């Protein structure tokens, strides 16, 4: 279970770093656009800050969406993991592969479509590996008495 949280926190830190970097990449400040080995310095700094706050961000979303109070946690868990995978891929394109942003599919940018499909598949794979729920056993069922 700790590996699942570590992966989620790492991806959240990546999302935070790519979002901030993509936001400031278009500005005219040259110090923001400085890079080392084609990796923006701002991305590196925000990535380390993101590692520090990723667990708190994840827990905040759990509180806002009343995750612990839900009877069936699986659907909201799937949506959360899917969104993490989706925004990670979009952030990667926006910061590291901007040349892929020009392609579209009938007006819809292709860098929105392909991550959606990938996020669906990754969510299913991630769920098969990490999601554990209580299995219904015979003791959990109540049987009606037959007359």
């Amino acid at each position: 279970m700790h590996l699942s949280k570590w992966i989620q926190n790492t991806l959240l830190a990546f999302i935070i770093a790519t979002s901030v970097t993509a936001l400031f990449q278009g500005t005219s400040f040259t110090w923001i656009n400085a890079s080392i080995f084609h990796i923006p310095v701002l991305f590196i700094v925000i990535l380390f800050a993101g590692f520090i706050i990723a667990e708190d961000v994840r827990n905040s979303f759990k509180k806002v969406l009343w995750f612990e109070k839900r009877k069936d946690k699986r659907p909201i868990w799937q949506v959360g993991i899917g969104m993490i995978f989706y925004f990670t891929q979009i952030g990667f394109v926006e910061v590291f592969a901007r040349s892929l942003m020009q392609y579209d599919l009938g007006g819809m940018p292709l860098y929105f479509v392909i991550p959606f499909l990938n996020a669906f598949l990754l969510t299913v794979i991630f769920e098969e590996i990490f999601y554990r729920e209580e299995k219904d056993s015979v003791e959990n069922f109540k049987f009606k008495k037959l007359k």
Side-chain angles (χ1 to χ4, degrees), residues 81-129:
I81 296 298
M83 287 181 67
I84 289 173
F85 286 131
Y86 179 71
F87 286 118
T88 300
Q89 294 173 73
I90 287 182
F92 178 80
V93 169
E94 288 181 342
V95 174
F96 297 106
R98 291 188 75 81
S99 63
L100 297 175
M101 292 175 71
Q102 64 186 352
Y103 303 108
D104 63 40
L105 181 66
M108 175 66 98
L110 206 53
Y111 81 102
F112 285 161
V113 176
I114 293 173
F116 183 78
L117 300 172
N118 289 341
F120 175 75
L121 292 173
L122 288 170
T123 301
V124 171
I125 293 168
F126 197 79
E127 180 181 18
E128 288 299 318
I129 295 171

Side-chain angles (χ1 to χ4, degrees), residues 45-101:
V45 171
I46 300 297
L47 183 64
F48 286 120
F51 280 127
I52 295 169
I53 65 169
E55 181 71 25
D56 294 330
V57 169
R58 217 169 50 75
N59 289 335
S60 297
F61 274 103
K62 282 175 140 182
K63 286 180 184 175
V64 167
L65 298 173
W66 297 334
F67 183 75
E68 297 302 327
K69 293 180 182 179
R70 292 177 183 269
K71 199 174 208 177
D72 186 13
K73 294 178 170 82
R74 184 176 178 211
I76 198 75
W77 185 89
Q78 289 174 327
V79 169
I81 296 298
M83 287 181 67
I84 289 173
F85 286 131
Y86 179 71
F87 286 118
T88 300
Q89 294 173 73
I90 287 182
F92 178 80
V93 169
E94 288 181 342
V95 174
F96 297 106
R98 291 188 75 81
S99 63
L100 297 175
M101 292 175 71

Side-chain angles (χ1 to χ4, degrees), residues 8-77:
Q8 291 174 38
N9 290 342
T10 302
L11 292 176
L12 274 175
F14 185 83
I15 291 169
I16 293 167
T18 55
S19 299
V20 172
T21 305
L23 183 67
F24 287 110
Q25 248 179 356
T27 62
S28 60
F29 301 114
T30 55
W31 59 272
I32 288 181
N33 295 325
S35 62
I36 300 172
F37 300 115
H38 301 291
I39 300 173
V41 174
L42 180 63
F43 172 80
I44 296 169
V45 171
I46 300 297
L47 183 64
F48 286 120
F51 280 127
I52 295 169
I53 65 169
E55 181 71 25
D56 294 330
V57 169
R58 217 169 50 75
N59 289 335
S60 297
F61 274 103
K62 282 175 140 182
K63 286 180 184 175
V64 167
L65 298 173
W66 297 334
F67 183 75
E68 297 302 327
K69 293 180 182 179
R70 292 177 183 269
K71 199 174 208 177
D72 186 13
K73 294 178 170 82
R74 184 176 178 211
I76 198 75
W77 185 89

Side-chain angles (χ1 to χ4, degrees), residues 134-138 140-141:
E134 296 175 11
K135 304 287 186 211
D136 288 331
S137 61
V138 176
N140 291 344
F141 291 106

